[in-house]
Amino acid sequence: MTEKGGTGALIATVLGSSIALIDGSVVNVALPAMAKALGADGTGVQWIVNGYMLPLSALVLIGGALADRAGRKRTFLAGLVLFTIASIGCMIAPTLGWLIGGRVVQGFGAALLVPASLAILGADFEGAARARAIGTWAAAGAIGGAIGPVLGGWLVDHVGWRSIFALIVPLAVAAFAMGWRFVASGHDADADPPDWYGAALATVGLGLLVWGLTLMTSGRHGTGAAMAGAGSIGLIAFVSLEARLGDRAMVPLALFGTRTFTGLTLLTFLLYAALSGALLLLPYLLIARGWSATAAGAAMLPLPLIMGLGSRSVGALAAKIGARPLLALGPMVTGAGFALFALMPDGTIDYVRNVLPGMLLIGIGMTAAVAPLTTTVMAAVDHRHTGAASGVNNATARIGGMIAVALIGLVLNDNGRGVSLGAFHGAAMTAAVMAGGAGLCGWALVRVARV
């Protein structure tokens, strides 16, 4: 058992990863207030979210490679600095364009610090210690995610939406101090240089695809289809380049040579697309029905609380019984929770009867899936590719969420201020089917017996 950085390194990675998680969860409950204050329509609302998700989705792959090549500590600290500066920029944004620009820079910072934090855990801990560390990382992040929406909702109601970005600064400063002191400056001297051309193609391809989907959901079908087509061509070019680069690519296609890694990638895409779409729309629906931002944020509490309480134990359980049963059952339970949202009534929404049962099932299902998923991804590749593997897994989760957000224009109404109930029911059932598909991938494709 190896624990090179010890508790200090674990705390640094937990704090660093938590700011990315908290940022996403807080922004979700603040979106209606942001849209009203800055005059954003449905497309603007989508880009407040996807302006952050786009660079994170595409460049988290480079972040993993940089962690391997340039150093895990250096990459982690650089990401923290960039994220903090961008958060301050979002806090003072005078226009919608400025805010979206700040969100883009936040995404660049997160693309460095998120995969670097997992690479630190993968390199500094081994065996059962690694499983416990990743379980603790997931649990602590979930606790941060529990506090974020409630505190953020309170700030939106009583101080204003700009104050939510101030939440990031003290956490980032503490993470930087702990990382500077305790994280080892390790790197892989044999790692290949970052695949900058691949990163550019991935960013342009994903950006055009998401922009096209966003335009299509807002009624601009011709222009949207053209952009989505151009984005698809860019992504095909990206895959072609990666195939030529072989093991030097930021996404080594050889990673997908095993059924397990391919299954994990499909599971991650389906599960996180379902989760991102449903949990973005639920607060929107509640606020549109007269709930305060604080109450809408509190409605999300069962998910992070259950994950915070159960993730470490689930990580240890996966080490004993294997990941496959948990990766099959967890997404299916999550899908059952989404299906309950399809019963949301027209009129007054009662939390205990209409929201809580679904949130409990989603919390239980995600708790069963997330820690085994993360650990299995790390176990499915050799040691020198842990950074790249974590980058691919994080990118897949973000891309799934980003595409789901690009399609929420089909559900929003009242110029981006409200939610169509019928479309919300359809989105909930779509999320249930996708989560069920993720569970089937976990059962049929994952073959790592122990993690």
Side-chain angles (χ1 to χ4, degrees):
M1 179 187 303
T2 301
E3 298 184 55
K4 301 172 187 175
T7 303
L10 179 59
I11 292 173
T13 59
V14 164
L15 289 173
S17 297
S18 292
I19 68 171
L21 174 64
I22 291 172
D23 181 84
S25 61
V26 169
V27 167
N28 282 358
V29 299
L31 280 173
M34 291 179 179
K36 182 178 180 180
L38 298 177
D41 59 9
T43 301
V45 168
Q46 288 164 286
W47 276 109
I48 291 173
V49 178
N50 275 345
Y52 172 73
M53 296 290 284
L54 174 59
L56 177 56
S57 301
L59 299 179
V60 73
L61 304 168
I62 280 288
L66 277 174
D68 287 340
R69 173 79 176 187
R72 294 175 287 274
K73 178 176 181 177
R74 182 181 301 175
T75 304
F76 178 74
L77 295 180
L80 279 171
V81 170
L82 196 59
F83 198 99
T84 305
I85 292 172
S87 297
I88 295 171
C90 290
M91 184 172 60
I92 64 174
T95 65
L96 177 63
W98 181 305
L99 176 62
I100 292 173
R103 296 284 288 160
V104 169
V105 179
Q106 278 189 319
F108 277 98
L112 296 178
L113 70 91
V114 171
S117 67
L118 265 178
I120 288 167
L121 296 181
D124 287 9
F125 296 85
E126 295 179 355
R130 178 190 291 178
R132 287 194 300 270
I134 292 176
T136 301
W137 172 82
I143 292 170
I147 297 171
V150 180
L151 180 57
W154 186 89
L155 288 171
V156 169
D157 288 334
H158 296 90
V159 181
W161 65 264
R162 298 178 186 277
S163 61
I164 66 173
F165 294 105
L167 290 173
I168 302 300
V169 178
L171 289 174
V173 170
F176 187 93
M178 296 295 290
W180 183 274
R181 172 67 179 83
F182 293 107
V183 173
S185 300
H187 70 283
D188 185 351
D190 298 325
D192 293 311
D195 176 14
W196 297 112
Y197 291 112
L201 281 173
T203 303
V204 172
L206 284 171
L208 289 173
L209 176 62
V210 169
W211 197 353
L213 292 174
T214 301
L215 291 176
M216 290 171 70
T217 62
S218 65
R220 299 172 62 182
H221 301 291
T223 303
M227 284 193 167
S232 298
I233 292 171
L235 293 176
I236 292 171
F238 165 72
V239 172
S240 177
L241 175 63
E242 301 303 276
R244 290 199 302 272
L245 290 176
D247 203 44
R248 295 180 291 114
M250 72 176 185
V251 182
L253 298 188
L255 291 175
F256 297 92
T258 67
R259 184 166 65 173
T260 291
F261 193 84
T262 301
L264 292 170
T265 302
L266 289 172
L267 186 157
T268 300
F269 179 86
L270 292 170
L271 184 60
Y272 280 91
L275 184 71
S276 298
L279 295 190
L280 174 63
L281 289 172
L282 181 60
Y284 234 99
L285 178 67
L286 297 177
I287 291 171
R289 293 293 181 83
W291 291 42
S292 67
T294 306
M300 306 294 108
L301 273 174
L303 172 61
L305 286 178
I306 293 171
M307 292 185 70
L309 292 172
S311 290
R312 182 162 184 149
S313 297
V314 170
L317 178 62
K320 293 180 179 179
I321 69 171
R324 186 184 177 206
L326 297 171
L327 292 176
L329 182 61
M332 291 183 179
V333 173
T334 302
F338 292 139
L340 290 181
F341 287 162
L343 303 176
M344 202 70 70
D346 188 9
T348 302
I349 296 175
D350 179 77
Y351 179 72
V352 173
R353 185 168 62 252
N354 305 127
V355 180
L356 182 60
M359 290 303 305
L360 289 174
L361 287 178
I362 293 169
I364 293 168
M366 290 300 297
T367 301
V370 169
L373 174 60
T374 303
T375 311
T376 305
V377 166
M378 304 290 278
V381 300
D382 57 69
H383 180 74
R384 68 187 298 267
H385 284 124
T386 54
S390 67
V392 170
N393 188 250
N394 273 283
T396 301
R398 309 301 176 181
I399 290 169
M402 183 171 59
I403 291 176
V405 171
L407 297 175
I408 65 169
L410 298 170
V411 184
L412 298 180
N413 59 17
D414 191 21
N415 200 29
R417 304 293 196 274
V419 178
S420 164
L421 181 62
F424 177 84
H425 288 165
M429 286 307 302
T430 300
V433 171
M434 293 177 72
L440 291 176
C441 288
W443 180 256
L445 299 177
V446 173
R447 285 295 180 269
V448 175
R450 297 289 186 270
V451 294

